[in-house]
Amino acid sequence: MSTDGGTVRTRRLDLVPLGVAHAEEMAGVLADPALHTFIGGAPLTAPDLRARYERLAAGSPDPATLWLNWVVRLRAENRLTGTVQATLTEDGRVAEVAWVTGTEWQGRGIAREAAEALIALLAERGAHTIVAHVHPDHTASATVARAAGLTPTDRVEDGEIRWERKVPDLKSSSGKPHCGPASG
């Protein structure tokens, strides 16, 4: 994984910071009503999605909350295929993540690869707790969560299971990376 000016590159994908200009293409990616079975709502028109992206680009109205949003581009097809997002709180120590992949691109490991990259980036940037909420019947999303290192908890919030990953602090008290078990 590499980053370049906000873009995160994986083996097959570019996670590109979400912009209003992505609304037209993303309206098509997210147009299948079946996609909304577990995430709720209905497909938005390009103008509605543009308005939503303008709100997201403006940032959270709460200064203690940071919104990070990317569109997922499959380089081999030069097409947008979905989104990943994170909401950071507690000075970036807690990150709530979500992913969505258009039905045309599902089953190809795109959501898994994008979620893994997102979670790795958040951990690198100091997030200690990564959280996702997955509908109990959404087995594909649960598979993505598990592959990204999250585990289900016994907490249910708004009908969805809370999944978590605790990220160990990789720095010792000297501020240098911890490279193995302490000797003694």
Side-chain angles (χ1 to χ4, degrees):
M1 176 184 72
S2 65
T3 59
D4 174 22
T7 297
V8 178
R9 291 179 58 89
T10 69
R11 185 174 60 81
R12 300 180 299 154
L13 309 173
D14 290 331
L15 279 55
V16 179
L18 180 131
V20 175
H22 296 121
E24 188 76 32
E25 187 175 353
M26 286 304 300
V29 171
L30 304 175
D32 184 354
L35 183 62
H36 300 268
T37 300
F38 296 113
I39 63 174
L44 296 176
T45 64
D48 290 338
L49 204 52
R50 190 174 304 106
R52 177 178 172 78
Y53 288 0
E54 285 172 355
R55 288 190 304 276
L56 291 172
S60 170
D62 179 353
T65 300
L66 178 63
W67 292 342
L68 301 173
N69 296 277
W70 291 267
V71 290
V72 177
R73 180 176 301 283
L74 180 60
R75 281 193 303 275
E77 297 180 14
N78 194 29
R79 293 276 317 269
L80 297 181
T81 61
T83 63
V84 291
Q85 61 189 50
T87 300
L88 279 64
T89 57
E90 298 184 31
D91 293 326
R93 290 185 305 273
V94 176
E96 186 163 334
V97 298
W99 50 84
V100 63
T101 299
T103 53
E104 182 179 336
W105 297 275
Q106 290 178 4
R108 295 168 59 182
I110 293 170
R112 185 199 82 249
E113 188 173 329
E116 287 173 345
L118 173 62
I119 290 170
L121 177 69
L122 295 169
E124 272 179 25
R125 292 186 177 179
H128 292 273
T129 303
I130 313 287
V131 175
H133 292 89
V134 177
H135 189 281
D137 297 329
H138 199 332
T139 55
S141 198
T143 300
V144 170
R146 188 169 282 108
L150 285 84
T151 55
T153 68
D154 59 0
R155 291 177 56 187
V156 176
E157 299 171 8
D158 294 326
E160 295 181 321
I161 297 170
R162 179 182 169 108
W163 290 64
E164 287 186 3
R165 176 177 172 183
K166 298 291 185 181
V167 179
D169 185 0
L170 299 178
K171 292 185 177 182
S172 67
S173 59
S174 67
K176 295 180 182 175
H178 180 69
C179 297
S183 58

